[in-house]
Amino acid sequence: MSKPASVSPVTVVGSVVLDNKWFPVGSVRTKSADHPLWHVHRRHGGVGRNVAENLARLGVPVFFTGLSGWDAVAAEIEGRLTDTGVRLAVVRVPDGVGRFDVHLDHAGELVRSRICLPDAELLTWDAVSAALPDLGGAAVVAVETGSARRLFEALRFHTSRRGARLLGMPTQLVNLGPRWKLVRQVDILVLNQKEAALLTGLPRGDLSAARDQVRALLAGGPSTVVLTCGGLGAIAASAEDPEPVHYPAQRVTCVDDTGAGDALTAALVAGLVSGADLATSVRSGLDAARVTVGCPAGVCRRVGGR
């Protein structure tokens, strides 16, 4: 991935999570039963955290704010972000680092998953604005839609006054619902087909179904919609060019698709804040996603070459 030569700063408001992937590696027999043996692969996660790290790897000045903790895991995650170039303004609370557990079967298919996050209401607008004195200079503010409602509304008011763009990253749709009244206020919406189905009520499927989802989302409020479609690539449209355009993905051997959407979001934003048009930015996002799915890490160090 090439880095933009001159870019405006970006602020990311999101979560810090420790991802745990559990893989079956055998079993042990006792007198009463067979008990499975597991291998766990731990890595840093959280949609906002992933996007912030990818932005820094792409050479974009980025600020990250979110909830974090005081323990060794929090220190490790924050240390990696700062080493990458992310400027942090975290609010520390008990159990501030979330946890996402995924259990897979021998074929690598999902068996069950569980996510535990701190109370989003603990991240307030007063805390964010006090911790980020440079928030006013951000060209784009990217926020998880699962953030506290009052914080989301304050960010919408702030970006509108400053002429910045608010980008929505759907999270917690199952637990909190689509929150469409909030989501429709964002300037840029980046999401996948499953998330689009929850927001629009339209089924996911082929490219024709994806185009229908994009049209419905664009009609609902966001001025730019980028819909990721896995191996099919992405579809994007804007208020200026409302007809959805398909951008095919390059074929690549998939090692792990975790974090591919976050990499796409980061590279898309990097392109937009460097002055690139939507088409160029979407193609950059697909390139970052291609690198990520070919890498076992949720945020691949090859994105941006850092």
Side-chain angles (χ1 to χ4, degrees):
M1 290 293 301
S2 60
K3 303 169 191 174
S6 177
V7 296
S8 302
V10 174
T11 293
V12 179
V13 183
S15 56
V16 173
V17 177
L18 182 66
D19 291 342
N20 300 284
K21 278 195 171 182
W22 298 80
F23 301 88
V25 294
S27 62
V28 59
R29 179 180 291 273
T30 66
K31 291 182 178 180
S32 59
D34 288 339
H35 302 277
L37 295 176
W38 299 87
H39 167 73
V40 60
H41 181 196
R42 291 187 170 91
R43 58 190 178 192
H44 303 167
V47 171
R49 194 220 69 84
N50 288 350
V51 170
E53 182 179 334
N54 278 306
L55 281 166
R57 292 189 181 282
L58 289 164
V60 177
V62 56
F63 300 83
F64 174 81
T65 185
L67 298 175
S68 187
W70 289 282
D71 59 10
V73 172
E76 177 188 315
I77 294 175
E78 293 171 27
R80 173 164 165 172
L81 287 173
T82 54
D83 287 347
T84 309
V86 179
R87 294 179 62 180
L88 294 177
V90 298
V91 177
R92 302 191 188 283
V93 298
D95 300 318
V97 175
R99 178 175 175 134
F100 182 47
D101 288 291
V102 176
H103 285 75
L104 306 174
D105 62 19
H106 288 281
E109 297 297 325
L110 177 67
V111 176
R112 60 183 179 273
S113 65
R114 185 184 68 163
I115 187 165
C116 296
L117 296 172
D119 183 1
E121 298 295 331
L122 297 174
L123 187 66
T124 66
W125 168 250
D126 288 343
V128 169
S129 57
L132 286 174
D134 296 323
L135 180 62
V140 171
V141 176
V143 58
E144 294 182 12
T145 64
S147 300
R149 181 180 296 273
R150 290 183 180 179
L151 173 61
F152 197 107
E153 293 171 340
L155 287 169
R156 171 70 282 178
F157 180 73
H158 171 86
T159 51
S160 297
R161 289 184 59 196
R162 298 279 183 169
R165 286 179 283 187
L166 184 65
L167 182 145
M169 304 176 292
T171 57
Q172 293 290 294
L173 294 181
V174 174
N175 294 333
L176 299 177
R179 307 180 91 179
W180 180 236
K181 289 184 179 180
L182 289 182
V183 174
R184 69 187 304 169
Q185 299 179 47
V186 304
D187 300 299
I188 307 167
L189 181 63
V190 185
L191 72 173
N192 60 39
Q193 280 193 285
K194 182 179 180 180
E195 293 161 345
L198 289 169
L199 283 169
T200 65
L202 297 175
R204 52 179 169 162
D206 58 13
L207 291 177
S208 177
R211 287 188 175 93
D212 288 341
Q213 289 179 328
V214 169
R215 292 188 184 98
L217 290 165
L218 195 64
S223 56
T224 299
V225 176
V226 178
L227 179 66
T228 64
C229 303
L232 295 177
I235 293 179
S238 66
E240 294 78 17
D241 296 295
E243 184 58 31
V245 176
H246 173 228
Y247 300 89
Q250 297 181 40
R251 290 192 176 185
V252 62
T253 300
C254 181
V255 175
D256 189 339
D257 62 0
T258 304
D262 302 333
L264 184 148
T265 299
L268 170 81
V269 172
L272 294 175
V273 298
S274 68
D277 59 20
L278 179 60
T280 301
S281 300
V282 172
R283 292 189 182 100
S284 294
L286 287 169
D287 193 21
R290 174 188 59 80
V291 171
T292 302
V293 299
C295 179
V299 174
C300 187
R301 297 178 187 272
R302 296 198 302 270
V303 173
R306 302 180 68 180

